[in-house]
Amino acid sequence: MSGKSNLQKFREFMSKDFREQLKKRDKLRKMLARMREKQRELEAELAAESQPDARERLEMQIRLIREQRRKGVGLLHELRQARREEESR
Amino acid sequence: MPRNLPLILALAFLAWAFWSSPTLTEIAAGIAVFLLGMRSLEQGFRAFTGGTLEELLKRSTDRLWKSLAFGAVATTVTQSSSLVTVITISFLSAGLMGLQQGIGVIFGANLGTTTGAWLMAGFGIRVNIGAYAMPLLAFGVILGFNRSRSLKGLGLILTGIGFLFLGIHFMKEGFEAFQDSFDLSQYAVGGIAGLLLYTGLGMVATVVMQSSHATLILTIAALAVGHITYDNALALSIGANIGTTITALIGAVGANIEGRRLAGAHLVFNLVTALIALSFIQVFVAAVESGGAWLGISPDNHTLKLALFHTLFNLTGIIMMVPFIGRLVWGLETWMKPRPVIVSEPKYIRPAMLEFPDAALEAARKELIRLFGRVFKTVATVLNYEPAELRKSVAREAYLLAPARVHMHDMDEIYLSKIKPLHGQIADYLARIPVQGKRSRQLVVLRSASQDLLEAVKDTKHLQKNLVRYLHSTHRAIRKEYLEIRANLGELLHRLEALSRDPGEDLELSLAELAARVEANDIVTNGHLDQLIRERAISAEQATSLMNDSAYAYRIAGNLLAAARATFIPFEEVDAELREKLALESGELRDIIRSPDEPNAPRGEQGP
């Protein structure tokens, strides 16, 4: 049985902030998944590329996307943390 | 002759008619109250625009059948096809829907408008509708005093319905009293002549009252007491359908090309439908008889039969026209070309859209992309690139080639004629969009983007002075540095211009890559300037100029990138906020450039 009371579920359902947060979290997850996919594509491209200029460009793109993903993952943690704190209150 | 002589004559005639006949006064008052009710109802529903109605419109128009259903349902609920048409034109102008979907909504609205006849014929005639009007008016007025926009809107809707009921009551009473003193049915005209005469009368009445709804209600009220014959009532309803397009055409005169095309589609639909109804009137009458029997409508209930006829011929019109919507769109786009846009005139933003914040914000975003196009041309021209050439993809070496001739351009003139008028209109428009809640964030983002573009132009003006001077210079080292600044900006402009036309799926990555290049090219932070000074390749005076101009170039690039991030893809609140948070700052970009050894995995990475 879930630890959440019906009252808690109702409170969450009624809270606009909560709904917005959920929406934001889902969007972020999707964005991160898309970015991971893109990173894999770029890595595959890099493995097949032999031209130094093109390799340099691909490497830069991979580093950028990794940094963006790192920020995104941090943000996802923050959102999860905020939700846990909200629930424990 | 005074311009308003026809109006004076019409008022004088009405005054005489009212004085001579109290029953005519009652009928006219009924029409006036009914029209007032429609206006109030429309205003009430407008209070709910900027949210629910737009959201529904956005979600319900991706397929043709959905557009048709939306038009029919929205018009049935609001009882105002003009409100639905106005919102559709706004969305069409902002590019939030295509002409085909817009036409679908208008066709659906034509069907939705027929529900008014059913309400009047089925409910308004049989019961004492005036009795319902009183409490509705009282509740409506009380709610109207409320401060809340929604409650005020609800108050206006209730008042509107109350006035509609009261208007119908007056018309009904008026015709009943009229019946005792005067028999209009003696003027009934039969045959084709009657059909054409009453179709014309229906048209004129609709144009005068600016409402086909009012004509139909008046027709039903007169038909209910036998003042007009059933055949003539059918012709009046056909006339009302044609008349309403004239109202739409008058409204479209001041509208933009999308509005005019939509009015064109409306005209074609109603004319074709009316033509079909007039040509096959006997077939329709027979269909109404059998349909009425099937629905349980008694043969002598002419008012309900009129409502059925009205629905039937509009439905036939839709069924016959829907397969040709694609051709209609093609025809309208071929025959109705947009006027060439005057340079200083905005192309997307329209004052009429201000009532619908979603459409207004999207139009402002598109107008800002247009402003970006002008800034692109201005910066390219000042850098002595040919804008058309800069649009083409070329190798890095081509950007570095020195221009054949270096010109100094009058930046003040370019700014005043090309940038400032459009920027001013966008700023004015943004200030007038009534936004609340989440949309205010979008407004701030767009306003800031317009400022970024303006700043980019101002910095270009500052950059031009030394750029022209040193591109003419015979000092090889300093000339090379300015050619680099020019090439870096030229390449950035080329990439951004391409992204403004097609942002692709990875706009964020493309922008981050461009931003990383801007950071890497910044000679102040990458140590190249210090190296030039240490090696005495350039003089101290040249170093100061180069430092200032590099800073201008850096700011131009940063502002163009920020404007691109804010405007190149449609805004969706959460996405935009996340994109902003995930965007890499200059410090982070510099770290990436300085540490080319790629880590195996991002620091602290966890799969999403």
Side-chain angles (χ1 to χ4, degrees):
Chain A
M1 196 178 129
S2 135
K4 248 188 229 178
S5 69
N6 285 336
L7 188 69
Q8 171 73 7
K9 282 182 192 165
F10 181 71
R11 197 161 63 98
E12 287 175 357
F13 177 73
M14 292 304 285
S15 159
K16 194 182 170 195
D17 284 351
F18 181 80
R19 285 201 311 273
E20 290 288 318
Q21 269 212 348
L22 275 189
K23 207 166 139 191
K24 195 192 275 189
R25 198 189 63 189
D26 290 346
K27 284 239 171 179
L28 183 56
R29 273 188 182 157
K30 275 185 198 158
M31 277 174 90
L32 287 170
R34 212 171 53 218
M35 283 159 82
R36 189 168 55 186
E37 201 179 310
K38 179 75 188 172
Q39 186 183 325
R40 282 182 186 153
E41 278 173 30
L42 290 171
E43 282 166 350
E45 244 180 272
L46 179 67
E49 184 61 66
S50 57
Q51 290 287 324
D53 283 356
R55 282 188 68 84
E56 199 181 315
R57 189 167 169 235
L58 286 167
E59 278 167 5
M60 173 59 82
Q61 286 184 337
I62 292 168
R63 287 204 298 275
L64 288 166
I65 211 163
R66 277 184 180 162
E67 186 61 19
Q68 285 178 331
R69 281 184 61 206
R70 189 186 66 77
K71 284 183 90 171
V73 171
L75 189 62
L76 197 62
H77 278 307
E78 274 176 35
L79 289 174
R80 280 187 189 142
Q81 190 66 29
R83 197 189 156 190
R84 273 192 213 114
E85 280 169 17
E86 177 77 20
E87 279 175 0
S88 64
R89 249 184 263 153
Chain B
M1 192 176 87
R3 257 173 61 191
N4 43 11
L5 187 68
L7 180 68
I8 295 168
L9 288 175
L11 290 175
F13 174 74
L14 272 178
W16 170 80
F18 294 162
W19 176 74
S20 60
S21 164
T23 47
L24 193 66
T25 313
E26 201 166 359
I27 295 170
I31 298 170
V33 172
F34 184 86
L35 291 174
L36 193 66
M38 281 190 69
R39 192 176 290 182
S40 178
L41 200 63
E42 190 174 319
Q43 278 174 354
F45 276 106
R46 270 173 200 267
F48 294 97
T49 56
T52 325
L53 218 52
E54 279 99 330
E55 200 58 40
L56 271 171
L57 188 56
K58 259 194 241 173
R59 284 164 194 260
S60 329
T61 50
D62 55 339
R63 300 251 177 102
L64 183 63
W65 69 266
K66 282 191 189 174
S67 308
L68 284 164
F70 175 83
V73 174
T75 311
T76 302
V77 174
T78 61
Q79 286 294 302
S80 168
S81 59
S82 56
L83 175 66
V84 176
T85 309
V86 168
I87 300 178
T88 309
I89 290 176
S90 299
F91 269 59
L92 205 58
S93 307
L96 290 170
M97 68 157 73
L99 185 58
Q100 189 157 351
Q101 283 80 24
I103 292 174
V105 175
I106 296 300
F107 283 11
N110 260 41
L111 190 64
T113 203
T114 66
T115 54
W118 282 99
L119 283 175
M120 172 71 179
F123 174 68
I125 293 291
R126 285 161 204 284
V127 295
N128 181 15
I129 206 165
Y132 293 97
M134 305 307 165
L136 284 172
L137 285 172
F139 286 128
V141 169
I142 291 167
L143 285 174
F145 286 130
N146 210 288
R147 270 191 204 168
S148 151
R149 185 178 148 94
S150 309
L151 285 178
K152 203 177 249 183
L154 186 65
L156 280 168
I157 291 172
L158 291 182
T159 316
I161 298 173
F163 277 142
L164 286 186
F165 284 2
L166 199 63
I168 291 171
H169 172 76
F170 280 146
M171 280 189 248
K172 210 169 74 177
E173 294 282 305
F175 274 115
E176 274 166 11
F178 210 42
Q179 195 180 24
D180 303 333
S181 55
F182 204 75
D183 185 14
L184 266 180
S185 61
Q186 62 183 305
Y187 295 102
V189 183
I192 293 175
L195 195 64
L196 296 177
L197 175 69
Y198 277 83
T199 302
L201 276 176
M203 268 174 67
V204 173
T206 305
V207 172
V208 170
M209 292 190 284
Q210 299 274 298
S211 163
S212 63
H213 218 84
T215 306
L216 218 63
I217 300 299
L218 196 63
T219 305
I220 292 171
L223 180 66
V225 290
H227 268 308
I228 50 172
T229 63
Y230 173 60
D231 289 346
N232 290 160
L234 298 184
L236 279 168
S237 74
I238 299 172
N241 250 42
I242 305 173
T244 197
T245 59
I246 295 168
T247 314
L249 281 181
I250 294 167
V253 169
N256 58 5
I257 183 68
E258 284 83 5
R260 292 204 298 273
R261 281 177 182 156
L262 206 61
H266 198 188
L267 178 72
V268 170
F269 175 82
N270 284 25
L271 282 181
V272 169
T273 310
L275 211 64
I276 293 169
L278 285 171
S279 312
F280 300 98
I281 186 92
Q282 293 310 325
V283 180
F284 277 105
V285 169
V288 167
E289 290 302 327
S290 46
W294 186 70
L295 287 169
I297 300 171
S298 70
D300 59 343
N301 191 341
H302 291 314
T303 52
L304 272 179
K305 275 162 60 180
L306 174 66
L308 181 59
F309 169 78
H310 194 217
T311 304
L312 212 59
F313 87 77
N314 272 294
L315 194 64
T316 309
I318 291 175
I319 293 167
M320 297 203 70
M321 292 292 288
V322 160
F324 300 103
I325 281 191
R327 284 196 184 176
L328 186 60
V329 169
W330 177 83
L332 290 166
E333 283 174 351
T334 311
W335 299 320
M336 298 172 88
K337 297 272 184 209
R339 279 181 298 137
V341 179
I342 300 164
V343 177
S344 60
E345 247 182 33
K347 188 175 171 188
Y348 299 101
I349 55 178
R350 307 271 159 194
M353 276 185 209
L354 285 167
E355 287 180 61
F356 312 108
D358 274 355
L361 286 167
E362 181 57 12
R365 185 185 75 82
K366 287 196 166 168
E367 204 66 64
L368 277 167
I369 296 180
R370 209 168 144 245
L371 182 65
F372 169 83
R374 295 209 190 160
V375 172
F376 161 82
K377 266 190 193 167
T378 305
V379 181
T381 309
V382 170
L383 293 173
N384 281 280
Y385 282 114
E386 189 57 50
E389 290 296 309
L390 209 54
R391 286 197 182 96
K392 294 176 193 161
S393 184
V394 287
R396 166 81 184 168
E397 290 69 34
Y399 293 107
L400 277 167
L401 287 175
R405 288 181 72 113
V406 180
H407 298 281
M408 177 72 107
H409 297 274
D410 185 346
M411 273 302 283
D412 287 335
E413 202 274 324
I414 296 176
Y415 174 70
L416 288 173
S417 64
K418 304 264 163 63
I419 308 290
K420 200 178 175 188
L422 186 60
H423 179 272
Q425 299 211 41
I426 296 173
D428 176 68
Y429 191 74
L430 286 174
R432 286 189 290 130
I433 300 177
V435 286
Q436 287 176 323
K438 64 175 188 180
R439 287 188 192 84
S440 34
R441 184 182 171 79
Q442 188 179 359
L443 189 72
V444 170
V445 169
L446 293 180
R447 192 174 287 146
S448 150
S450 79
Q451 193 59 29
D452 290 335
L453 290 172
L454 210 61
E455 292 293 327
V457 175
K458 284 183 181 168
D459 284 332
T460 307
K461 178 186 171 183
H462 296 308
L463 175 66
Q464 180 178 224
K465 201 176 129 200
N466 283 330
L467 183 81
V468 170
R469 179 181 167 200
Y470 288 119
L471 286 182
H472 276 129
S473 173
T474 49
H475 191 294
R476 195 178 286 176
I478 191 75
R479 186 163 183 258
K480 181 174 172 289
E481 291 309 317
Y482 275 89
L483 279 172
E484 283 280 351
I485 290 178
R486 176 177 175 266
N488 292 339
L489 280 176
E491 211 174 344
L492 177 78
L493 281 174
H494 163 73
R495 290 285 304 273
L496 286 179
E497 200 278 332
L499 288 171
S500 75
R501 283 181 279 121
D502 177 19
E505 282 185 4
D506 305 304
L507 180 71
E508 260 327 294
L509 182 61
S510 307
L511 293 180
E513 198 191 342
L514 291 173
R517 272 197 217 177
V518 172
E519 289 299 330
N521 292 334
D522 182 19
I523 59 166
V524 180
T525 53
N526 70 11
H528 183 63
L529 183 68
D530 289 342
Q531 194 188 351
L532 287 171
I533 296 169
R534 272 200 307 273
E535 290 172 356
R536 300 197 181 282
I538 56 174
S539 70
E541 188 211 349
Q542 286 170 338
T544 308
S545 297
L546 191 55
M547 191 188 285
N548 279 334
D549 295 325
S550 291
Y552 286 136
Y554 182 79
R555 282 213 301 264
I556 293 167
N559 282 323
L560 291 177
L561 283 166
R565 185 170 287 121
T567 57
F568 283 5
I569 47 176
F571 192 96
E572 207 185 311
E573 202 219 350
V574 183
D575 257 352
E577 194 187 337
L578 291 173
R579 285 203 326 257
E580 206 175 289
K581 285 198 171 160
L582 264 52
L584 302 176
E585 288 161 22
S586 57
E588 293 165 326
L589 289 167
R590 263 181 243 140
D591 285 346
I592 293 173
I593 297 159
R594 278 188 204 132
S595 57
D597 298 325
E598 43 184 294
N600 287 331
R603 280 161 281 163
E605 181 188 355
Q606 286 187 11

